[in-house]
Coordinates of all heavy atoms in Angstrom, one line a residue:
M1057 N 23.8 10.9 14.0 CA 23.4 11.2 12.6 C 22.6 12.5 12.6 O 21.7 12.7 13.5 CB 22.5 10.1 12.1 CG 22.3 10.1 10.6 SD 21.5 8.6 10.0 CE 21.1 9.1 8.3
A1058 N 22.8 13.4 11.7 CA 22.2 14.7 11.6 C 20.7 14.6 11.2 O 20.4 13.7 10.4 CB 22.9 15.6 10.6
A1059 N 19.9 15.3 11.8 CA 18.4 15.3 11.5 C 18.2 16.0 10.2 O 18.7 17.1 9.9 CB 17.7 16.0 12.6
G1060 N 17.5 15.3 9.3 CA 17.2 15.9 8.0 C 16.0 16.9 8.0 O 15.3 17.0 9.0
N1061 N 15.9 17.6 7.0 CA 14.8 18.5 6.8 C 13.5 17.7 6.6 O 13.6 16.6 6.0 CB 15.0 19.4 5.7 CG 16.2 20.3 5.9 OD1 16.4 20.8 7.0 ND2 16.9 20.5 4.8
I1062 N 12.4 18.2 7.1 CA 11.1 17.5 6.8 C 10.4 18.2 5.6 O 10.3 19.4 5.6 CB 10.2 17.7 8.1 CG1 10.9 17.1 9.3 CG2 8.8 17.0 7.9 CD1 11.0 15.6 9.4
K1063 N 10.0 17.3 4.7 CA 9.3 17.8 3.6 C 7.8 17.6 3.8 O 7.4 16.6 4.4 CB 9.6 16.9 2.3 CG 10.9 17.4 1.6 CD 11.0 16.6 0.3 CE 12.3 16.9 -0.4 NZ 12.4 16.0 -1.6
V1064 N 7.0 18.6 3.5 CA 5.6 18.5 3.7 C 4.8 18.7 2.4 O 5.2 19.5 1.6 CB 5.1 19.6 4.7 CG1 3.6 19.5 5.0 CG2 5.9 19.5 6.0
T1065 N 3.8 17.9 2.2 CA 3.0 18.0 1.0 C 1.5 17.7 1.4 O 1.2 17.2 2.5 CB 3.4 17.0 -0.1 OG1 2.7 17.3 -1.3 CG2 3.1 15.6 0.3
S1066 N 0.6 18.1 0.5 CA -0.8 17.8 0.8 C -1.3 16.7 -0.1 O -1.1 16.7 -1.3 CB -1.6 19.1 0.5 OG -2.9 19.0 0.8
K1067 N -1.8 15.6 0.6 CA -2.3 14.5 -0.2 C -3.6 14.0 0.4 O -3.9 14.3 1.6 CB -1.2 13.3 -0.1 CG 0.0 13.6 -0.9 CD 0.6 12.4 -1.4 CE 1.2 11.5 -0.4 NZ 1.9 10.3 -1.0
H1068 N -4.2 13.1 -0.4 CA -5.5 12.5 0.1 C -5.1 11.3 1.0 O -4.5 10.4 0.5 CB -6.4 12.1 -1.1 CG -7.7 11.5 -0.6 ND1 -8.7 12.3 -0.3 CD2 -8.0 10.2 -0.5 CE1 -9.7 11.5 0.1 NE2 -9.3 10.2 0.0
C1069 N -5.7 11.3 2.2 CA -5.4 10.2 3.1 C -6.6 9.3 3.1 O -7.8 9.7 3.2 CB -5.2 10.7 4.5 SG -5.0 9.4 5.7
K1070 N -6.3 8.0 2.8 CA -7.4 7.0 2.7 C -8.1 6.8 4.1 O -9.2 6.5 4.2 CB -6.8 5.7 2.2 CG -6.5 5.6 0.8 CD -5.9 4.3 0.4 CE -5.1 4.4 -0.9 NZ -4.1 3.3 -1.1
K1071 N -7.2 6.9 5.1 CA -7.7 6.6 6.5 C -8.6 7.7 7.0 O -9.7 7.5 7.5 CB -6.5 6.4 7.4 CG -6.8 5.4 8.5 CD -5.5 5.0 9.2 CE -5.8 4.1 10.4 NZ -4.6 3.8 11.1
C1072 N -8.1 9.0 6.8 CA -8.9 10.1 7.2 C -10.0 10.4 6.2 O -11.0 11.1 6.6 CB -8.0 11.4 7.3 SG -6.6 11.2 8.5
N1073 N -9.9 9.9 5.0 CA -10.8 10.1 3.9 C -11.0 11.6 3.6 O -12.1 12.1 3.4 CB -12.2 9.5 4.2 CG -13.0 9.3 3.0 OD1 -12.5 9.1 1.9 ND2 -14.3 9.4 3.1
E1074 N -9.9 12.3 3.6 CA -9.9 13.8 3.3 C -8.4 14.2 3.0 O -7.5 13.4 3.2 CB -10.4 14.6 4.5 CG -9.5 14.5 5.7 CD -10.0 15.4 6.8 OE1 -10.3 16.6 6.5 OE2 -10.1 15.0 8.0
R1075 N -8.3 15.4 2.5 CA -7.0 15.9 2.1 C -6.3 16.4 3.4 O -6.8 17.3 4.0 CB -7.1 17.0 1.1 CG -5.9 17.1 0.2 CD -6.2 18.0 -1.0 NE -5.0 18.2 -1.8 CZ -4.5 17.4 -2.7 NH1 -5.1 16.3 -3.0 NH2 -3.3 17.6 -3.3
T1076 N -5.1 15.8 3.6 CA -4.4 16.2 4.8 C -2.9 16.5 4.5 O -2.5 16.3 3.3 CB -4.4 15.0 5.9 OG1 -3.8 13.9 5.4 CG2 -5.8 14.7 6.3
K1077 N -2.2 16.9 5.5 CA -0.8 17.1 5.2 C 0.0 15.8 5.5 O -0.2 15.1 6.5 CB -0.3 18.2 6.2 CG -0.5 19.6 5.7 CD 0.1 20.6 6.6 CE -0.1 22.0 6.0 NZ 0.4 23.1 6.9
F1078 N 0.9 15.6 4.6 CA 1.8 14.4 4.7 C 3.2 15.0 4.8 O 3.6 16.0 4.3 CB 1.8 13.5 3.5 CG 0.6 12.6 3.5 CD1 -0.7 13.0 3.5 CD2 0.9 11.2 3.5 CE1 -1.7 12.1 3.5 CE2 -0.2 10.3 3.6 CZ -1.5 10.7 3.5
E1079 N 4.1 14.3 5.6 CA 5.4 14.7 5.7 C 6.4 13.5 5.7 O 6.0 12.4 6.0 CB 5.7 15.5 7.0 CG 5.4 14.7 8.3 CD 5.7 15.5 9.5 OE1 5.7 16.7 9.5 OE2 6.0 14.8 10.6
R1080 N 7.6 13.8 5.3 CA 8.6 12.7 5.3 C 10.0 13.4 5.4 O 10.1 14.6 5.2 CB 8.6 12.0 3.9 CG 9.2 12.7 2.8 CD 9.0 12.0 1.5 NE 9.8 10.9 1.3 CZ 10.0 10.1 0.2 NH1 9.2 10.4 -0.8 NH2 10.8 9.1 0.1
N1081 N 11.0 12.6 5.8 CA 12.3 13.2 5.9 C 12.9 13.3 4.5 O 12.7 12.4 3.7 CB 13.2 12.3 6.8 CG 12.8 12.2 8.2 OD1 12.4 13.2 8.8 ND2 12.7 11.0 8.7
S1082 N 13.5 14.4 4.3 CA 14.1 14.6 3.0 C 15.5 13.8 2.9 O 16.1 13.6 4.0 CB 14.4 16.1 2.7 OG 15.2 16.7 3.6
L1083 N 15.9 13.5 1.8 CA 17.1 12.7 1.6 C 18.3 13.5 2.0 O 18.5 14.6 1.5 CB 17.2 12.3 0.1 CG 18.3 11.3 -0.3 CD1 18.4 10.1 0.6 CD2 18.0 10.8 -1.7
V1084 N 19.1 13.0 2.9 CA 20.3 13.7 3.3 C 21.5 12.9 2.8 O 21.6 11.7 3.0 CB 20.3 13.8 4.9 CG1 21.6 14.5 5.3 CG2 19.1 14.5 5.4
W1085 N 22.4 13.6 2.1 CA 23.6 12.9 1.5 C 24.8 13.1 2.5 O 25.0 14.2 3.0 CB 23.9 13.6 0.2 CG 22.9 13.4 -0.8 CD1 21.8 14.2 -1.1 CD2 22.6 12.2 -1.6 NE1 21.0 13.7 -2.1 CE2 21.5 12.5 -2.4 CE3 23.3 11.0 -1.8 CZ2 21.0 11.6 -3.3 CZ3 22.8 10.1 -2.7 CH2 21.7 10.4 -3.5
G1086 N 25.4 12.0 2.7 CA 26.6 12.0 3.5 C 27.9 11.7 2.7 O 27.8 11.4 1.5
A1087 N 29.0 11.7 3.4 CA 30.3 11.4 2.7 C 30.3 10.0 2.2 O 30.9 9.7 1.1 CB 31.4 11.7 3.7
G1088 N 29.7 9.1 2.9 CA 29.6 7.7 2.5 C 28.9 7.5 1.2 O 29.3 6.7 0.3
D1089 N 27.9 8.3 1.0 CA 27.1 8.3 -0.2 C 27.9 8.7 -1.4 O 27.9 8.1 -2.5 CB 25.9 9.2 -0.1 CG 24.9 8.7 0.9 OD1 24.6 7.5 0.8 OD2 24.3 9.5 1.7
L1090 N 28.7 9.8 -1.2 CA 29.6 10.3 -2.3 C 30.6 9.3 -2.7 O 30.8 9.1 -3.9 CB 30.3 11.6 -1.8 CG 31.1 12.4 -2.8 CD1 30.1 13.0 -3.8 CD2 31.8 13.5 -2.1
I1091 N 31.2 8.6 -1.7 CA 32.2 7.5 -2.0 C 31.5 6.4 -2.8 O 32.1 5.9 -3.8 CB 32.8 7.0 -0.7 CG1 33.7 8.1 -0.1 CG2 33.6 5.8 -1.0 CD1 34.0 7.9 1.4
M1092 N 30.3 6.0 -2.4 CA 29.6 5.0 -3.1 C 29.3 5.3 -4.6 O 29.3 4.5 -5.5 CB 28.3 4.6 -2.4 CG 28.5 3.8 -1.1 SD 29.3 2.2 -1.4 CE 28.0 1.3 -2.1
V1093 N 28.9 6.6 -4.8 CA 28.5 7.1 -6.1 C 29.8 7.0 -7.0 O 29.7 6.5 -8.1 CB 28.0 8.5 -6.1 CG1 27.9 9.1 -7.5 CG2 26.6 8.5 -5.4
L1094 N 30.9 7.4 -6.5 CA 32.2 7.3 -7.2 C 32.6 5.9 -7.5 O 33.1 5.6 -8.6 CB 33.3 8.1 -6.4 CG 33.1 9.6 -6.3 CD1 34.1 10.2 -5.4 CD2 33.2 10.3 -7.6
L1095 N 32.5 5.0 -6.5 CA 32.9 3.6 -6.7 C 32.0 2.9 -7.7 O 32.5 2.0 -8.4 CB 32.8 2.9 -5.3 CG 33.9 3.2 -4.3 CD1 33.7 2.6 -3.0 CD2 35.3 2.8 -4.8
T1096 N 30.7 3.2 -7.7 CA 29.8 2.5 -8.6 C 29.5 3.2 -9.9 O 28.6 2.8 -10.6 CB 28.5 2.2 -7.8 OG1 27.9 3.4 -7.5 CG2 28.7 1.4 -6.6
A1097 N 30.2 4.3 -10.1 CA 30.0 5.1 -11.3 C 28.6 5.6 -11.5 O 28.0 5.6 -12.6 CB 30.4 4.4 -12.6
G1098 N 27.9 5.9 -10.3 CA 26.6 6.5 -10.4 C 25.5 5.4 -10.2 O 24.3 5.8 -10.0
L1099 N 25.8 4.1 -10.3 CA 24.8 3.1 -10.2 C 24.1 3.1 -8.8 O 23.0 2.6 -8.7 CB 25.4 1.7 -10.5 CG 25.7 1.4 -12.0 CD1 26.5 0.1 -12.1 CD2 24.4 1.3 -12.8
Y1100 N 24.9 3.6 -7.9 CA 24.4 3.6 -6.5 C 23.2 4.6 -6.3 O 22.4 4.3 -5.5 CB 25.6 4.0 -5.6 CG 25.2 4.3 -4.2 CD1 25.0 3.3 -3.3 CD2 25.3 5.6 -3.7 CE1 24.7 3.5 -2.0 CE2 25.0 5.9 -2.4 CZ 24.7 4.8 -1.5 OH 24.4 5.1 -0.2
L1101 N 23.1 5.6 -7.2 CA 22.1 6.7 -7.0 C 20.7 6.1 -7.0 O 19.9 6.4 -6.1 CB 22.3 7.7 -8.1 CG 23.4 8.7 -7.8 CD1 23.6 9.6 -9.1 CD2 23.1 9.6 -6.6
P1102 N 20.2 5.3 -8.0 CA 18.9 4.8 -8.0 C 18.6 4.0 -6.7 O 17.5 4.0 -6.2 CB 18.7 4.0 -9.3 CG 20.0 4.1 -9.9 CD 20.9 5.0 -9.2
F1103 N 19.6 3.2 -6.3 CA 19.4 2.4 -5.1 C 19.2 3.3 -3.9 O 18.4 3.0 -3.0 CB 20.6 1.5 -4.9 CG 20.6 0.3 -5.9 CD1 21.5 0.4 -7.0 CD2 19.8 -0.7 -5.8 CE1 21.5 -0.6 -7.9 CE2 19.8 -1.8 -6.7 CZ 20.7 -1.7 -7.8
R1104 N 20.0 4.4 -3.8 CA 19.9 5.3 -2.7 C 18.5 5.9 -2.6 O 18.0 6.0 -1.5 CB 21.0 6.4 -2.9 CG 21.1 7.4 -1.7 CD 21.6 6.7 -0.5 NE 21.8 7.7 0.6 CZ 20.8 7.9 1.5 NH1 19.7 7.3 1.4 NH2 21.0 8.8 2.5
F1105 N 18.0 6.3 -3.8 CA 16.6 6.9 -3.8 C 15.6 5.9 -3.4 O 14.6 6.2 -2.7 CB 16.3 7.5 -5.2 CG 17.0 8.8 -5.4 CD1 18.0 8.9 -6.4 CD2 16.6 9.9 -4.7 CE1 18.6 10.1 -6.6 CE2 17.3 11.1 -4.9 CZ 18.3 11.2 -5.9
L1106 N 15.8 4.6 -3.9 CA 14.8 3.5 -3.6 C 14.8 3.2 -2.1 O 13.8 3.1 -1.5 CB 15.2 2.3 -4.4 CG 14.2 1.1 -4.4 CD1 12.9 1.5 -5.1 CD2 14.8 -0.1 -5.0
I1107 N 16.0 3.1 -1.5 CA 16.1 2.8 -0.1 C 15.5 3.9 0.7 O 14.8 3.7 1.7 CB 17.6 2.6 0.3 CG1 18.1 1.3 -0.4 CG2 17.8 2.5 1.8 CD1 19.6 1.1 -0.4
H1108 N 15.8 5.1 0.3 CA 15.2 6.3 1.0 C 13.7 6.3 0.9 O 13.0 6.5 1.9 CB 15.7 7.6 0.4 CG 15.1 8.8 1.0 ND1 15.4 9.2 2.3 CD2 14.2 9.7 0.6 CE1 14.7 10.3 2.6 NE2 13.9 10.6 1.6
A1109 N 13.1 6.0 -0.3 CA 11.7 6.0 -0.5 C 11.0 4.9 0.4 O 9.9 5.0 0.9 CB 11.3 5.7 -1.9
L1110 N 11.7 3.7 0.5 CA 11.2 2.6 1.3 C 11.3 2.9 2.8 O 10.4 2.5 3.6 CB 12.0 1.3 1.0 CG 11.7 0.7 -0.4 CD1 12.7 -0.4 -0.7 CD2 10.3 0.3 -0.6
T1111 N 12.3 3.5 3.3 CA 12.5 3.8 4.7 C 11.9 5.1 5.2 O 11.8 5.3 6.4 CB 14.0 3.7 5.1 OG1 14.7 4.7 4.2 CG2 14.6 2.4 4.8
N1112 N 11.6 6.0 4.2 CA 11.0 7.2 4.6 C 9.7 7.5 3.8 O 9.6 8.4 3.0 CB 11.9 8.4 4.4 CG 13.1 8.3 5.3 OD1 13.0 8.7 6.4 ND2 14.2 7.8 4.8
P1113 N 8.7 6.7 4.1 CA 7.4 6.9 3.3 C 6.7 8.1 3.8 O 6.9 8.6 4.9 CB 6.6 5.6 3.7 CG 7.1 5.2 5.0 CD 8.6 5.6 5.1
W1114 N 5.8 8.7 2.9 CA 5.0 9.8 3.3 C 4.1 9.3 4.4 O 3.5 8.3 4.3 CB 4.2 10.3 2.1 CG 5.0 11.0 1.0 CD1 5.4 10.5 -0.2 CD2 5.5 12.3 1.1 NE1 6.1 11.5 -0.8 CE2 6.2 12.6 -0.1 CE3 5.4 13.3 2.1 CZ2 6.8 13.8 -0.3 CZ3 6.0 14.5 1.9 CH2 6.7 14.8 0.7
R1115 N 4.0 10.1 5.4 CA 3.1 9.8 6.5 C 2.1 11.0 6.8 O 2.5 12.1 6.7 CB 3.9 9.6 7.8 CG 4.5 8.2 7.9 CD 5.2 8.0 9.2 NE 5.9 6.7 9.2 CZ 5.3 5.6 9.4 NH1 4.0 5.6 9.7 NH2 5.9 4.4 9.4
C1116 N 0.8 10.6 7.0 CA -0.2 11.5 7.3 C 0.1 12.1 8.7 O 0.3 11.4 9.6 CB -1.6 10.8 7.3 SG -2.9 11.9 7.8
T1117 N 0.1 13.5 8.8 CA 0.4 14.1 10.0 C -0.8 14.1 11.0 O -0.7 14.3 12.2 CB 0.8 15.6 9.8 OG1 -0.3 16.2 9.1 CG2 2.1 15.7 9.1
K1118 N -2.0 13.7 10.5 CA -3.2 13.6 11.3 C -3.3 12.2 12.0 O -3.6 12.2 13.1 CB -4.4 13.9 10.4 CG -5.6 14.5 11.2 CD -6.6 15.0 10.2 CE -7.9 15.3 10.9 NZ -9.0 15.7 9.9
C1119 N -3.2 11.2 11.2 CA -3.4 9.8 11.7 C -2.1 9.0 11.7 O -2.1 7.9 12.3 CB -4.5 9.1 11.0 SG -4.0 8.7 9.3
G1120 N -1.1 9.4 11.1 CA 0.2 8.7 11.1 C 0.2 7.6 10.0 O 1.2 6.8 9.9
S1121 N -0.9 7.5 9.2 CA -0.9 6.4 8.2 C 0.0 6.7 7.0 O 0.2 7.9 6.7 CB -2.4 6.3 7.8 OG -2.4 5.6 6.6
R1122 N 0.5 5.7 6.4 CA 1.3 5.9 5.2 C 0.5 6.3 4.0 O -0.5 5.8 3.8 CB 2.1 4.6 4.9 CG 3.2 4.4 5.8 CD 4.0 3.2 5.4 NE 4.9 2.8 6.4 CZ 5.9 1.9 6.3 NH1 6.0 1.2 5.2 NH2 6.7 1.7 7.3
Ligands
ZN2564 ZN1 -4.7 10.3 7.8

């Protein structure tokens, strides 16, 4: 599986109790996703985003906390 791009943002970390950098893998679309979108007439899209959000939470780059 190809490595996705890393998205970085600045958020407040509860654990560090300060503003730190958070990163997560960006959503990478594959051929399988395209087929699923066509088969489900787009209903697959919200599920794809939901699954991605659940499996790729924002993580603090300082302490690793979500
Ligand atoms: Zn932190």
Side-chain angles (χ1 to χ4, degrees):
M1057 200 172 165
N1061 297 320
I1062 303 288
K1063 275 186 184 173
V1064 181
T1065 191
S1066 186
K1067 290 212 289 186
H1068 180 82
C1069 178
K1070 285 176 202 163
K1071 213 169 174 179
C1072 300
N1073 200 28
E1074 62 175 314
R1075 205 166 174 84
T1076 61
K1077 274 186 180 176
F1078 276 66
E1079 65 177 23
R1080 77 186 286 187
N1081 295 316
S1082 61
L1083 185 48
V1084 179
W1085 297 94
D1089 292 315
L1090 188 66
I1091 291 162
M1092 284 300 287
V1093 169
L1094 292 172
L1095 285 175
T1096 62
L1099 285 172
Y1100 172 73
L1101 283 171
F1103 288 103
R1104 184 69 178 91
F1105 283 112
L1106 187 68
I1107 290 161
H1108 176 73
L1110 290 173
T1111 55
N1112 293 280
W1114 287 105
R1115 281 183 184 280
C1116 174
T1117 53
K1118 205 171 171 183
C1119 69
S1121 164
R1122 285 185 187 187

